[in-house]
Amino acid sequence: MCEIEVEVVHDVLKANEEIALRNNRLLNDFGIIAFNIMGAIGSGKTTLIELAIERLSEKYRIGVIAGDIVADIDADRFKRYDVPVIAMNTGKECHLDAHLIENSLDQLPLDDLDILFIENVGNLICPTDYLLGEFKRVVIVSVSEGDDIVIKHPMIFKTCDLAIVNKVDISEAVGADADKMVSDALRMNPSIKAIKTSKNIGESIDRWIEYIEESTDVHR
Amino acid sequence: MHEYSVATEIYEVILKTAIKNDAKKVTSVDLELGELTHINHDQLIFCLEIMVKGSLMEDAKINLIVKPPKVKCKCGYEGVLDDNRRLLISDFAFSMGCPGCGNPVPSLISGKEINVRNIKIELDDYV
């Protein structure tokens, strides 16, 4: 019997990153900008994507990948807008990974898209580690999660381009300081952009829409 | 949260390498885990231990190599975050500033690994 050492060097997250890079190149070839929309359960991810589709579907061709444990429920909401939607059921998984996105991209009409929204599984932890091939990473938190939610999840804010503090119209009712959440996000990541939104305050949604427009126009 | 699926990938990679090299059994595994991944190290090892039962790597010793966060900064500093900063790990977004110049966002060059570095295997002796 003899014993030998074999070099393996397989990094689980790097392996994901390689597929993510492939997705990113593919999307870039088609001139598509992809937004990875992350946030806790009930933070408002689906609603903010719906509002973006409502406001922008005449200007841009939009597609959506809805990821969830049972993704069909959100996917049905998006289908009402008559945009291409892929329901990516993760089953038991707590996050989307680059491989799942690669499969979804196969099923989307890439020739007919300018913007792809990828709604991640409701979770502020696991999606942080998994790049998907996106160009912009967006994290949404709502005031009802408590105004210490940002400092409790520093890593996701460190890795995102945009932080949205949502449902600010109910801040008082839930005893949360939305401005503190914004300043916490900026302390975590001085290069992040942070905005406050509520679906009931039209002007606040304008900031979200402007962000998408600016990012898309720069990408082109 | 996703320790089980990460463990599955690690297990498959090890098994594939072992079979490719005609191993009779896997005796040890060097596994690098970065301190900044959202992986609970104990849970990951627990999942692996359950998974390997009845396989070539049932008796393998798993050597866990914890990789501290290492940064590289514009100011020229390259190295591990110092202990005072690392002690604040629950608050690490504040504590990840460059130890050299205080720049709050130096590039992270290590600390996010989930890497199977190498394995030791037993082979049949050639007669």
Side-chain angles (χ1 to χ4, degrees):
Chain A
M1 196 73 75
C2 71
E3 189 180 66
I4 63 163
E5 189 168 292
V6 183
E7 194 178 51
V8 186
V9 191
H10 177 96
D11 191 313
V12 173
L13 293 179
K14 284 242 170 63
N16 179 74
E17 265 177 52
E18 278 163 26
I19 305 172
L21 194 64
R22 228 158 50 211
N23 292 343
N24 187 277
R25 285 200 194 109
L26 178 69
L27 289 163
N28 203 38
D29 286 347
F30 282 91
I32 301 168
I33 183 167
F35 295 85
N36 182 0
I37 312 290
M38 295 171 280
I41 296 168
S43 57
K45 297 182 292 300
T46 311
T47 300
L48 284 172
I49 296 171
E50 283 178 320
L51 289 167
I53 299 171
E54 273 175 27
R55 300 253 201 124
L56 291 171
S57 60
E58 290 201 354
K59 186 171 173 189
Y60 304 109
R61 299 165 300 169
I62 299 173
V64 187
I65 297 172
D68 215 329
I69 308 292
V70 179
D72 305 306
I73 297 164
D74 286 345
D76 286 344
R77 281 173 63 175
F78 296 127
K79 278 177 190 159
R80 292 200 308 245
Y81 297 93
D82 202 24
V83 294
V85 180
I86 302 296
M88 183 44 70
N89 293 303
T90 61
K92 283 173 241 167
E93 280 296 337
C94 44
H95 59 271
L96 290 173
D97 64 29
H99 182 62
L100 291 172
I101 298 305
E102 191 174 40
N103 290 345
S104 306
L105 292 181
D106 271 353
Q107 303 165 49
L108 278 167
L110 300 181
D111 271 329
D112 296 318
L113 291 182
D114 302 310
I115 294 176
L116 176 64
F117 290 112
I118 303 170
E119 181 176 347
N120 218 312
V121 181
N123 183 331
L124 286 169
I125 304 160
C126 311
T128 310
D129 282 345
Y130 289 82
L131 294 176
L132 306 178
E134 68 273 37
F135 294 82
K136 293 288 180 190
R137 292 165 63 81
V138 179
V139 53
I140 303 173
V141 286
S142 65
V143 293
S144 53
E145 292 158 49
D147 59 16
D148 50 3
I149 191 80
V150 177
I151 49 172
K152 279 155 82 176
H153 296 277
M155 244 355 219
I156 195 161
F157 289 88
K158 280 199 75 66
T159 63
C160 277
D161 303 290
L162 175 69
I164 299 180
V165 176
N166 195 22
K167 309 189 188 179
V168 290
D169 54 327
I170 59 162
S171 301
E172 213 179 303
V174 296
D177 180 348
D179 291 326
K180 173 192 182 304
M181 296 169 80
V182 167
S183 62
D184 283 347
L186 292 168
R187 267 197 301 162
M188 300 287 156
N189 179 356
S191 54
I192 206 168
K193 188 176 164 60
I195 59 174
K196 293 186 290 183
T197 54
S198 160
K199 70 168 185 170
N200 300 318
I201 306 169
E203 293 150 37
S204 74
I205 301 300
D206 293 347
R207 304 288 92 77
W208 164 226
I209 302 301
E210 283 159 16
Y211 179 82
I212 300 167
E213 286 178 308
E214 280 163 20
S215 308
T216 307
D217 295 342
V218 168
H219 186 71
R220 284 168 153 187
Chain B
M1 255 184 193
H2 47 263
E3 282 75 6
Y4 194 82
S5 58
V6 170
T8 308
E9 186 167 341
I10 290 170
Y11 171 66
E12 282 170 358
V13 165
I14 295 170
L15 216 57
K16 210 166 105 185
T17 311
I19 291 167
K20 202 170 110 193
N21 288 280
D22 300 319
K24 271 203 69 150
K25 66 192 277 195
V26 180
T27 53
S28 77
V29 175
D30 287 348
L31 181 63
E32 294 177 335
L33 288 180
E35 281 182 6
L36 294 183
T37 58
H38 286 97
I39 289 287
N40 181 301
H41 298 179
D42 291 342
Q43 277 181 23
L44 182 72
I45 301 296
F46 176 72
C47 292
L48 272 171
E49 282 170 356
I50 290 175
M51 213 168 268
V52 299
K53 289 210 167 95
S55 79
L56 283 183
M57 60 176 287
E58 177 159 15
D59 300 321
K61 182 173 182 300
I62 296 168
N63 302 313
L64 190 62
I65 303 155
V66 177
K67 304 283 279 185
K70 203 172 163 189
V71 294
K72 187 175 181 178
C73 184
K74 285 182 287 196
C75 76
Y77 179 88
E78 184 175 330
V80 171
L81 292 174
D82 65 49
D83 280 346
N84 283 337
R85 287 160 199 272
R86 285 177 50 212
L87 281 175
L88 294 167
I89 204 80
S90 62
D91 217 0
F92 57 73
F94 295 118
S95 59
M96 273 175 58
C98 170
C101 68
N103 167 19
V105 279
S107 323
L108 193 65
I109 51 173
S110 171
K112 292 205 75 177
E113 298 83 355
I114 307 178
N115 185 28
V116 183
R117 201 166 70 185
N118 51 42
I119 62 173
K120 279 191 183 140
I121 54 174
E122 267 181 22
L123 305 172
D124 274 329
D125 285 332
Y126 291 102
V127 180

